[in-house]
Amino acid sequence: QVHPVESGGGSVQAGGSLKLSCAAPGVGFNTYRTAWFRQAPGAEREGVAAIMPTGLTAYSDSVKGRFTISQASDKNILFLEMNNLKLADTAMYFCAADNRFHVVPGTLLNPENWRYWGQGTQVTVSS
């Protein structure tokens, strides 16, 4: 069983930056695909970015060019570097992992394609 734990959330002004981290104690991510999702109050959970063990990445259009997903060299920590943050980025951010690799093309960032979830870390962007 994989239990991701997120950290690094906080409050920041618009235009600022934050870096989120995610680790799964006792588990390395080298055999898992991993991703970041977010959920604002009253909204559905949406995919933000994903990374495969090969290093291949995918981003939602809303964060492309501003956010970067990466893993530590030992594959034990997942990062999300967020730059030029906007008010619309305010949400609870969740780390997800899965070791199933048969995903319909174009659906990688759908929440139903991810099995293991963290508890989330809050990101609040203010003006």
Side-chain angles (χ1 to χ4, degrees):
Q1 196 75 354
V2 180
H3 299 286
V5 179
E6 305 92 339
S7 60
S11 298
V12 64
Q13 286 192 318
S17 299
L18 278 176
K19 187 172 184 177
L20 306 182
S21 300
C22 172
V27 175
F29 287 140
N30 56 313
T31 58
Y32 289 81
R33 50 183 170 92
T34 50
W36 290 97
F37 289 77
R38 67 186 181 187
Q39 188 167 17
E44 293 185 353
R45 191 167 297 190
E46 64 167 336
V48 173
I51 185 167
M52 306 297 277
T54 58
L56 186 69
T57 57
Y59 294 92
S60 69
D61 288 342
S62 62
V63 306
K64 202 171 292 183
R66 299 188 298 122
F67 290 11
T68 303
I69 189 170
S70 64
Q71 291 182 337
S73 57
D74 59 4
K75 307 287 189 185
N76 286 334
I77 303 177
L78 177 70
F79 301 108
L80 184 69
E81 186 166 2
M82 306 183 293
N83 297 313
N84 191 21
L85 282 160
K86 303 177 180 181
L87 298 180
D89 295 318
T90 294
M92 184 73 77
Y93 282 71
F94 298 89
C95 172
D98 202 305
N99 57 356
R100 302 169 299 179
F101 291 91
H102 299 288
V103 179
V104 174
T107 68
L108 184 61
L109 293 179
N110 290 3
E112 58 265 29
N113 285 329
W114 296 84
R115 185 157 50 178
Y116 304 112
W117 293 88
Q119 295 298 307
T121 185
Q122 178 68 35
V123 172
T124 302
V125 184
S126 60
S127 59

